[in-house]
Amino acid sequence: MNQLILGDTQNVLAVLESQSIDLVYIDLPPHIVDPATVTSSNKQAKDYRKWLKNTIKHTLPLLKGTASVFINIPSSLKDWAVNTALPNHFEEAHYKGEIKWKPTQNAGNLSVHTSLQYTTILYYARSEQYTCNYPYNEHYLNQIYRYEDNKGRYRLDSLNSVHADGFFYSYKGHEAPTSGWAFPEETLTEWENLGLLNIPTNNDDPITFKKYYIAPKDQTNRLCQVSPFNAPQKGFTYQSKNPHHLLRRIIQYASNEGDTLLSINVKNGRLLRLADQYKRFWIGTDTLVDNIKQSEYLLNKESSQDFSLRIYQYEPHTRLHSEAGQFEKWIKEQFEPQLLNDASIIIRLGNNLGLSAIDHMVKHHIQPFRKKWFYENHPEHLYHGVLVGDRFSKYAIEEVQRLNTYENIRLKLVTLDDLTPVPVKPEIQYTIQASDNEQQEVQFELKVDDQQNIAFYSWDFDYQPDKAFRPQEMLKQQAELTYNFAPGKYMVAVQTTQKDGLSSMQTLEIEVKSNLEEKIAS
């Protein structure tokens, strides 16, 4: 199933399945608000260098041999990335070029508003067997490859130099163009012998190069003879009002139906929605709740394929195996205010921890400090220790109760599932406003003790329990809402999302009567 994951980039990448990804798109991290402000030496650049190195390091084990990687990078750091950082991870031949997206109004960016004239994307392949498709149709071929001979379809390309230092000589009676030839005379001679030159009989008409169309025999697992984004030395500039078509082109050229796409820093989920459209599976990750919720909302609104929303911070089983040290530190931060000085927090793995785990905890982590704690006369609400495990047997639970009652040892048992807090559920109030119109106004108000901890409220006004939750409205910290209903019975669902990403969902049934029904009833 497709996955939308909230969490630190490197932590999330570390728990994904190895060699499972066919296409990666790495967008700018949240601390890069405007790429135009990133210089080669300011703090933003230093933070980005460190972030990109770690991200690439954790991404490489996930890639299949046919995978491609596209990196949206601040233009000022392009040389550093291509010449210094990325050659440590990719062979030189696997750098397939720079793609520049240039908005038509010379303002804009793939992710954020900026004063940059273009956005830089670096294109790398995992190996020489990378996926490279050519979705050319007959209409395209007729427009571009308009000529044909016994060798196949071809187009005529100019041989004029685009620089002022071209080659000047006469060839077969044709004088050099104003800017000179783009190639030396021996090159033209070689191409003529291969039948690749179009030499008009009229010396006033230019000599051109016959570029033949190479139809790929196999779209997957093959050597890509021509990059769909030009050669690395020249780069590729794509100009459009928005980057939608470029992102679509990347998906079509660098992956196949049924492949899995990884989007790092999903922003508003635009790439994920395109992946859905072109029948790719996907995994999207971001560190910001706002970006994850915006992506979730738009994916649901466009009736995407089913996907799961994961919050890495509240996946204790995953964290315990992927980052044991950091996870242990996080647990201690949760319980330290509830502990006596020198009290321990112990994590024990096991499906059914019993008396032996309790005895070991008391003997080694509580008894050595009991005398000290007795003379310090601490308040009774503080614990002598916390034991964290997968699950505890009924005998372990009974022993903890006995210790508390008869030996004044306060030990707290916590399962891994207990570490996920219960999300907030606000009180829902609503009022139906009588109206002469066919539709009736219903005013909703949500009441919660800590409004500042709420990030979003999402509303589905015709919720179907047997179908996915697909909200029509998503409001940022706005607890009041008015919606118009036609007469009938409705189930309304509201999802409350906290700033840490945790969500709760509540439903209520309402019945809206027509104005005529109200008058008859009265």
Side-chain angles (χ1 to χ4, degrees), residues 344-367 385-397 399-400 403 409 411-414:
S344 299
I345 299 174
I346 303 300
I347 302 174
R348 291 283 300 272
L349 295 181
N351 291 328
N352 204 22
L353 296 175
L355 291 175
S356 60
I358 306 300
D359 292 342
H360 184 275
M361 179 79 180
V362 172
K363 180 178 179 180
H364 295 281
H365 301 285
I366 294 179
Q367 292 291 6
V386 174
L387 181 60
V388 181
D390 286 326
R391 190 173 61 183
F392 298 95
S393 71
K394 66 176 183 179
Y395 303 107
I397 296 172
E399 176 64 8
V400 168
L403 289 170
I409 293 177
L411 176 61
K412 185 177 180 66
L413 300 183
V414 179

Side-chain angles (χ1 to χ4, degrees), residues 175-204:
E175 296 299 325
T178 304
S179 59
W181 303 101
F183 305 94
E185 185 173 1
E186 53 268 28
T187 300
L188 266 64
T189 301
E190 179 184 353
W191 285 345
E192 183 184 4
N193 293 335
L194 293 172
L196 297 177
L197 289 186
N198 177 55
I199 305 176
T201 55
N202 185 350
N203 291 342
D204 292 332

Side-chain angles (χ1 to χ4, degrees), residues 424-427 446-454 457:
V424 171
K425 289 187 176 183
E427 178 188 348
L446 303 174
K447 293 186 176 294
V448 63
D449 293 335
D450 187 7
Q451 179 63 39
Q452 295 302 313
N453 188 40
I454 304 301
Y457 294 110

Side-chain angles (χ1 to χ4, degrees), residues 306-319:
D306 290 341
F307 64 93
S308 62
L309 176 59
R310 298 171 55 187
I311 304 174
Y312 178 82
Q313 177 182 350
Y314 295 124
E315 292 189 355
H317 295 271
T318 302
R319 294 184 65 187

Side-chain angles (χ1 to χ4, degrees), residues 65-219:
T66 55
S68 294
V69 179
F70 294 82
I71 307 169
N72 181 6
I73 190 170
S75 300
S76 60
L77 299 180
K78 178 223 167 184
D79 290 340
W80 163 81
V82 172
N83 299 323
T84 305
L86 297 177
N88 296 327
H89 303 286
F90 295 95
E91 295 181 17
E92 183 178 353
H94 297 164
Y95 174 49
K96 299 303 175 183
E98 175 189 5
I99 304 168
K100 297 178 182 178
W101 174 69
K102 187 174 183 180
T104 51
Q105 301 301 320
N106 287 336
N109 186 264
L110 281 171
S111 311
V112 291
H113 295 295
T114 177
S115 55
L116 284 177
Q117 290 191 349
Y118 61 86
T119 295
T120 297
I121 303 173
L122 303 182
Y123 175 23
Y124 282 86
R126 187 70 178 105
S127 72
E128 284 304 314
Q129 301 297 324
Y130 68 104
T131 299
C132 184
N133 298 323
Y134 297 86
Y136 296 158
N137 55 33
E138 195 66 24
H139 176 71
Y140 173 88
L141 293 176
N142 291 335
Q143 279 192 322
I144 305 301
Y145 293 89
R146 296 182 293 165
Y147 308 97
E148 190 171 359
D149 59 17
N150 58 355
K151 293 182 181 179
R153 291 176 182 259
Y154 65 90
R155 71 185 189 215
L156 296 178
D157 287 353
S158 172
L159 294 173
N160 296 2
S161 174
V162 296
H163 305 290
D165 56 348
F167 298 93
F168 290 88
Y169 54 87
S170 176
Y171 192 83
K172 301 295 182 178
H174 293 258
E175 296 299 325
T178 304
S179 59
W181 303 101
F183 305 94
E185 185 173 1
E186 53 268 28
T187 300
L188 266 64
T189 301
E190 179 184 353
W191 285 345
E192 183 184 4
N193 293 335
L194 293 172
L196 297 177
L197 289 186
N198 177 55
I199 305 176
T201 55
N202 185 350
N203 291 342
D204 292 332
D205 295 332
I207 299 176
T208 50
F209 177 76
K210 298 167 73 172
K211 174 70 174 180
Y212 285 89
Y213 169 66
I214 304 175
K217 296 179 180 179
D218 181 12
Q219 297 284 13

Side-chain angles (χ1 to χ4, degrees), residues 366-405:
I366 294 179
Q367 292 291 6
F369 301 99
R370 287 200 72 188
K371 186 175 181 180
K372 172 179 177 292
W373 288 332
F374 177 79
Y375 286 111
E376 289 180 352
N377 192 26
H378 288 287
E380 293 187 0
H381 70 274
L382 297 180
Y383 291 100
H384 296 101
V386 174
L387 181 60
V388 181
D390 286 326
R391 190 173 61 183
F392 298 95
S393 71
K394 66 176 183 179
Y395 303 107
I397 296 172
E398 291 172 353
E399 176 64 8
V400 168
Q401 293 172 344
R402 188 194 68 78
L403 289 170
N404 183 37
T405 303

Side-chain angles (χ1 to χ4, degrees), residues 26-43:
I26 303 175
D27 214 331
L28 296 172
H31 75 268
I32 304 292
V33 179
D34 184 349
T37 63
V38 180
T39 66
S40 58
S41 59
N42 65 6
K43 186 178 185 304

